[in-house]
Each structure stands twice: as structure tokens, then as C-alpha cells.
């Protein structure tokens, strides 16, 4: 789920790592004792400590991803909302051919007044989420050991914050403090403001990572463009003087803004359709919005598990991950529901039930797969899965401080089917909540998210394999022999 990013460039150049962090950090966990000789384990994330920048791939790729996707957000939003184009890529091409490029893009961009109105909602939403992160009770949760040996700590209160966000939205709309459909009404202006503010944030993070990093897991390649894109710090935090553990940037951008906005958008878009249609919501909107709310609720139930994924352990806080979660998720990941606001498709009872079963089934299987892995690791390999003793491999790796640690790689249950099996139920659920847009013949813009997700997860499975092989070396090779398929058995 906060799988809100496009493919990253490959490795980066030599990094200057700070000797120590000037900001207070949580206390470290004691590392597990070495169980094998040092030559049997790898120093994890060497590519994150001493990357190599190649002009043709990393720098040019960074420039492309920092320019084209931000414009695409506005093109997609215009294509979905314009009643003449109405989600048709063919009509968009006709529209572009009728006038010069500058005039065409000028019509796609919001006015300054719309941006100012959108900025108000973005800022208020962000402030509320920052306050909820801090004030809502939750237990401390320790993340995985970072390459430097640092252990990040988080407050586990995602579910409470998600429920409170929905309650605040419902009460505020009922009291007419704001329109219930504010995410639809002000989408173009909000996306424009998010585009600008995300870039500013990335520049701030670049400077912070170079001169005031929160942990030793920081450094820069020497290439300004790439460093802004990829980031200079793995676990940046702010506000230690107010809150002991501080606000974790990636927890905020990925989860408390991006995913929170996504989960609420289904309800907000449904409210917008209700208003536009004179008090009626289509069954297609119910399917799409309900499934996404369930999916995001599941995500927050598993949020601390997400903070231990390879994405969080490897990807620095730069444009790649922060812009993706602040802009790409609110725009692309909600495009199908936005399209349905003014296209109230009637699916009928049979199709509605079929899509609900498919979507809920996908969410449940995805949750069960994650739960199996978490239980296996929590019990250090002593688990019963599907009525049998779970099988797995204890894989060792070495952090930059010389400590040898280990992870338990599960080979039973869903994880015996394929190495990245959880992507299959992701596709199931995503298809279920985007499929209603296909009922509008020939207009495929609303189906863009599903197409993107397929490409993203296929690419990610390969990148995850490379990261795991770098981290676990020969242990990962043994694991791949036991679980030979990446995602789909006998196919890929």
C-alpha cells in the first residue's frame, strides 16, 4: 500500500557519512550474536552507503521522474474531470491537437485562486495528521536494525488515527464546517499545491540530511539532482524538542498523509456524487469506495509491519518516496473513484456482489500473508501454518557497525507459493475497485491505477530480489531454490 512510487534509478555514488547524529535518537536494541563467520554474511545496504551515480540512468532518470509525473498528475485530473473528454485518452489527443501545447496545458492547470483554496485544505489536513500522530495514544514499536545499527522507534496508533480522521470528517461535514466532498471539489488546486510543497520539502530534507541528519544513516553522492531525488537521509525526523521520538518523515508522508488521504477520499468522492446526483450514490461508487476504505483500514492495522518492509529500510526520504506519497497517491491512487463521481454506473446486484467478494477476498489474503510472515518472525521460526510446522531459513546479515543480525525467511503458507505472493491479492483487490470504470465504454483513464500497479509490482519484485540478495547473499540463493517463482507460480 504505500506503494506510492515509480521505479527508482539504480545505484548511487560515493557518500560522505556523518560521524554521529546531532539529533537525539531512540535507544538501540542489542544486536543478536553472530552465528556464522563474518565472511558468511554481507554488509547490508552497501549501495545505500556508497552508491554509484551514472549520468545516463540515475541523473537523467531523476530529471525525468521529477518533471514528467508532476505534469501527468494534472493531465490525468483534467482528463477525468472534463465532461467533454470524460476519461477518454483518444478525446484528450483530439483536444491537444486543436490548439498549441502551451494553451492546452494552460487549460489543464488550476488557477491561483484554486491553488490557494486547495492549499488551505492540504495544510489543515496535514496539521491534523501531525497532531494525531503525536497526541493519540499508542505503544512504542521498534523497527528493524538500520545499516548503521540504529533502531527506529514509532508510535503504533495508525488505526485509531484513521478512525478519528473519518469521525472528524463526518462531524465537520455535518456541522457544515466544510463540504463533505472537499477532496473532489478542490482536487486540481490541492494537487498543484502538493506538487510545489513536496518539492520544497525535498529540498529541506536534502539540506537536513547533509548538515543535521537524525541518524548516521545519511550521506550524499555529490550530485545535487540525484541527491534531491533519492534523498540524503534514511530516517529523518523533526521536533525532538516537543516530542521525545520526534515526527518521522516517512511515517508521515507514506502513511499519515498519503494513505490517510487515500482512505478518506473514497468517502469524500462518494459524498460528492451524492451531492451532484441529488441524494443518490451508485452501486459502482459503493463498491469502489467501500473496498478502498477496507483496504486502507487493513493497511493501518498492519502499519508497523509496513515500517519494516524493504521500502522503508532501503529508500531514503527524497523526491522519489516523499513526492510519490504526497502527490502520486492522492491523485493516481484515487483516479477511478474521482471518475465515478460524474459517471454513476449501475452495475447490478450480481456484478456488485462479485466485485465485493473479489475485493474483500484480495484484502483478506493479503492480510493473512503478511500476518503469516509477522508471526513466523515474531516466534523466531516456531509457527504452525496451515496445520503444519512452518519451514524457513535463518538468514544472516551484517550492519555497518560490524554487528551480525538475522532474519527468518518463511517458505510455508502463502510464502511457499511465491517469493512476493502478496502482490497477487493486491492485484485482485485493485481490479475490483477499479473495474467499475470499465463500464463506461472506451474511457480508460479511470483504469490507469490498475495498469500502473501491475507494472510497478512486477518491477518491484525484481528490485526487491536484488536488495534481498545484496542483504542475505547466499542465504537468499538458497531461499530462491526452495521458492523459485517471484509472483505467479509457473508463470513469473
Amino acid at each position: 500500500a504505500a506503494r506510492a512510487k515509480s521505479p527508482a534509478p539504480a545505484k548511487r555514488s560515493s557518500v560522505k557519512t556523518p560521524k554521529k547524529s546531532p539529533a537525539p535518537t531512540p535507544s538501540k536494541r542489542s544486536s543478536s550474536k553472530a552465528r556464522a563467520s563474518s565472511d558468511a554474511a554481507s554488509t547490508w545496504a552497501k549501495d545505500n552507503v556508497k552508491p554509484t551515480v551514472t549520468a545516463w540512468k540515475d541523473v537523467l532518470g531523476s530529471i525525468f521522474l521529477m518533471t514528467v509525473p508532476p505534469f501527468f498528475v494534472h493531465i490525468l485530473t483534467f482528463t477525468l474531470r472534463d465532461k467533454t473528454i470524460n476519461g477518454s485518452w483518444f478525446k484528450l489527443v483530439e483536444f491537444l491537437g486543436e490548439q498549441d501545447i502551451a494553451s492546452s496545458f494552460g487549460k489543464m492547470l488550476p488557477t491561483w485562486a484554486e491553488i490557494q483554496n486547495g492549499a488551505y485544505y492540504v495544510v489543515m489536513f496535514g496539521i491534523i495528521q501531525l497532531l494525531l500522530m503525536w497526541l493519540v495514544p499508542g505503544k512504542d514499536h521498534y523497527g528493524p536494525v538500520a545499516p548503521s545499527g540504529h533502531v527506529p522507534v514509532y508510535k503504533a496508533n495508525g488505526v485509531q488515527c484513521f478512525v478519528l480522521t473519518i469521525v472528524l470528517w463526518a462531524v465537520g461535514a455535518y456541522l457544515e464546517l466544510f463540504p463533505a466532498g472537499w477532496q473532489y471539489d478542490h482536487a486540481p488546486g490541492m494537487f498543484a499545491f502538493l506538487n510545489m510543497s513536496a518539492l520544497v520539502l525535498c529540498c529541506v530534507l536534502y539540506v537536513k540530511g547533509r548538515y543535521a541528519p537524525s541518524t548516521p544513516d545519511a550521506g550524499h553522492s555529490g550530485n545535487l539532482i540525484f541527491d534531491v531525488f533519492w534523498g540524503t537521509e534514511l530516517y529523518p525526523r523533526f521536533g525532538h524538542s516537543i516530542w521525545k521520538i520526534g515526527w518521522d518523515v516517512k511515517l508521515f508522508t507514506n502513511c499519515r498523509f498519503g494513505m490517510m488521504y487515500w482512505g478518506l477520499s473514497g468517502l469524500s468522492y462518494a459524498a460528492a456524487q451524492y451531492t451532484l446526483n441529488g441524494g443518490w450514490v451508485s452501486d459502482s461508487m459503493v463498491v469502489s469506495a467501500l473496498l478502498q476504505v477496507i483496504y486502507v483500514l487493513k493497511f493501518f492495522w498492519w502499519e508497523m509491519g509496513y515500517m519494516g518492509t524493504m521500502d522503508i529500510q532501503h529508500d531514503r526520504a527524497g523526491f522519489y518516496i516523499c513526492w510519490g506519497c504526497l502527490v502520486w497517491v492522492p491523485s493516481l491512487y484515487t483516479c477511478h473513484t474521482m471518475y465515478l463521481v460524474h459517471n454513476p454506473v449501475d452495475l447490478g446486484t450480481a456484478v456488485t456482489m462479485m466485485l465485493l467478494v473479489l475485493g474483500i477476498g484480495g484484502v483478506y489474503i493479503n492480510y493473512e500473508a503478511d500476518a503469516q510472515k509477522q508471526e513466523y518472525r515474531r516466534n523466531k521460526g516456531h509457527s504452525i501454518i496451515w496445520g503444519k510446522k512452518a519451514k524457513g531459513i535463518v538468514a544472516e546479515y551484517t550492519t555497518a557497525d560490524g554487528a551480525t543480525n538475522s532474519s527468518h525467511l518463511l517458505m510455508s503458507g502463502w510464502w511457499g507459493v511465491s517469493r512476493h505472493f502478496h502482490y497477487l491479492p493486491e492485484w485482485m483487490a485493485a481490479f475490483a475497485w477499479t473495474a467499475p470504470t470499465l463500464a463506461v465504454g472506451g474511457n480508460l483513464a479511470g483504469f490507469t491505477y490498475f495498469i500502473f500497479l501491475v507494472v510497478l509490482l512486477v518491477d518491484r519484485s525484481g528490485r526487491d530480489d536484488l536488495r534481498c540478495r545484496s542483504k542475505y547473499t547466499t542465504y537468499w540463493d538458497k531461499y530462491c531454490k526452495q521458492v523459485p517463482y517471484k509472483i505467479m507460480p509457473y508463470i513469473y
Side-chain angles (χ1 to χ4, degrees):
R3 296 162 164 100
K5 306 177 290 288
S6 17
K11 303 189 174 179
R12 300 123 239 147
S13 147
S14 57
V15 169
K16 302 172 186 177
T17 305
K19 293 181 180 180
K20 61 181 180 178
S21 168
T25 57
S27 59
K28 299 180 180 179
R29 273 195 207 150
S30 57
S31 302
S32 61
K33 294 183 179 180
R35 298 180 185 176
S37 60
S38 58
D39 59 350
S42 65
T43 300
W44 172 42
K46 287 182 179 179
D47 65 321
N48 219 346
V49 177
K50 290 188 176 182
T52 301
V53 172
T54 58
W56 69 270
K57 189 173 184 180
D58 290 328
V59 177
L60 294 181
S62 299
I63 294 173
F64 175 83
L65 292 172
M66 291 173 68
T67 53
V68 175
F71 279 105
F72 178 76
V73 165
H74 294 291
I75 295 172
L76 176 63
T77 303
F78 176 78
T79 304
L80 294 169
R81 292 170 64 95
D82 185 84
K83 293 183 179 180
T84 301
I85 296 175
N86 196 31
S88 171
W89 294 121
F90 297 106
K91 291 182 180 179
L92 175 65
V93 172
E94 292 177 2
F95 169 80
L96 294 174
E98 292 172 354
Q99 49 204 312
D100 60 89
I101 297 296
S103 299
S104 300
F105 280 106
K107 293 180 179 180
M108 295 180 188
L109 298 176
T111 64
W112 280 112
E114 290 175 322
I115 295 174
Q116 289 175 339
N117 290 333
Y120 168 78
Y121 285 95
V122 169
V123 171
M124 293 304 298
F125 184 78
I127 290 174
I128 289 172
Q129 296 309 317
L130 288 171
L131 290 174
L132 291 178
M133 284 177 67
W134 175 32
L135 299 175
V136 174
K139 295 181 179 179
D140 285 349
H141 175 87
Y142 293 90
V145 181
S148 68
H150 164 74
V151 177
V153 61
Y154 309 96
K155 181 187 279 191
N157 58 4
V159 173
Q160 301 96 303
C161 290
F162 182 53
V163 173
L164 277 173
T165 297
I166 293 177
V167 171
L168 289 173
W169 167 78
V171 172
Y174 178 78
L175 296 177
E176 298 184 351
L177 299 177
F178 50 80
W182 64 270
Q183 286 173 285
Y184 178 81
D185 298 340
H186 300 281
M190 289 193 298
F191 296 161
F193 178 75
L194 283 169
N195 255 329
M196 294 184 288
S197 56
L199 181 59
V200 171
L201 173 64
C202 294
C203 292
V204 171
L205 291 174
Y206 166 79
V207 175
K208 180 186 181 303
R210 288 202 58 175
Y211 302 107
S214 300
T215 76
D217 298 287
H220 64 97
S221 69
N223 186 290
L224 176 63
I225 294 174
F226 180 82
D227 287 336
V228 171
F229 174 80
W230 183 248
T232 54
E233 197 172 359
L234 192 60
Y235 290 110
R237 297 198 178 202
F238 293 94
H240 288 92
S241 60
I242 301 175
W243 183 14
K244 182 180 179 180
I245 66 174
W247 281 272
D248 182 85
V249 171
K250 288 197 286 189
L251 180 64
F252 172 72
T253 59
N254 296 27
C255 306
R256 302 310 176 84
F257 192 97
M259 291 301 296
M260 199 72 71
Y261 186 102
W262 182 12
L264 184 62
S265 70
L267 300 175
S268 183
Y269 289 167
Q273 188 190 76
Y274 180 87
T275 301
L276 292 175
N277 289 344
W280 173 70
V281 177
S282 64
D283 54 7
S284 56
M285 176 62 80
V286 171
V287 168
S288 187
L290 179 61
L291 289 178
Q292 288 173 91
V293 170
I294 293 173
Y295 177 84
V296 173
L297 177 62
K298 186 275 303 182
F299 170 83
F300 282 114
W301 186 268
W302 172 77
E303 182 184 38
M304 291 300 104
Y306 169 71
M307 299 309 292
T309 61
M310 289 300 290
D311 280 353
I312 300 299
Q313 295 182 61
H314 185 274
D315 296 341
R316 293 185 176 192
F319 186 91
Y320 167 63
I321 192 171
C322 294
W323 179 89
C325 294
L326 291 174
V327 186
W328 200 240
V329 170
S331 57
L332 181 70
Y333 283 47
T334 67
C335 68
H336 33 277
T337 328
M338 176 184 287
Y339 179 66
L340 291 174
V341 170
H342 58 270
N343 286 281
V345 180
D346 183 17
L347 299 175
T349 303
V351 176
T352 297
M353 295 305 299
M354 180 184 70
L355 290 176
L356 284 174
V357 170
L358 179 67
I360 293 174
V363 173
Y364 174 76
I365 295 173
N366 181 265
Y367 168 78
E368 187 183 38
D370 288 329
Q372 287 178 351
K373 182 166 62 175
Q374 283 188 303
E375 181 184 0
Y376 181 76
R377 290 181 174 178
R378 184 170 54 249
N379 296 331
K380 300 187 181 302
H382 301 290
S383 297
I384 303 297
I385 297 178
W386 292 354
K388 298 180 181 179
K389 188 179 185 306
K391 299 179 181 178
I393 291 176
V394 179
E396 296 180 344
Y397 61 95
T398 303
T399 52
D401 60 358
T404 301
N405 300 272
S406 62
S407 294
H408 293 265
L409 307 180
L410 178 60
M411 300 187 305
S412 294
W414 295 116
W415 300 97
V417 177
S418 62
R419 299 194 294 274
H420 309 283
F421 169 81
H422 55 310
Y423 293 162
L424 275 178
E426 286 262 358
W427 288 336
M428 287 171 56
F431 178 81
W433 67 60
T434 55
T437 64
L438 296 176
V440 184
N443 297 1
L444 297 177
F447 201 62
T448 305
Y449 166 69
F450 180 77
I451 298 171
F452 164 78
L453 187 66
V454 171
V455 175
L456 173 70
L457 296 186
V458 168
D459 173 79
R460 182 184 300 210
S461 67
R463 290 190 287 120
D464 284 352
D465 267 17
L466 291 175
R467 294 174 185 177
C468 290
R469 183 166 283 107
S470 173
K471 181 176 181 179
Y472 301 122
T473 61
T474 56
Y475 296 103
W476 187 253
D477 293 330
K478 294 177 182 177
Y479 179 74
C480 291
K481 288 181 181 179
Q482 296 296 320
V483 187
Y485 301 106
K486 286 185 179 179
I487 301 177
M488 193 169 295
Y490 305 104
I491 297 178
Y492 180 70

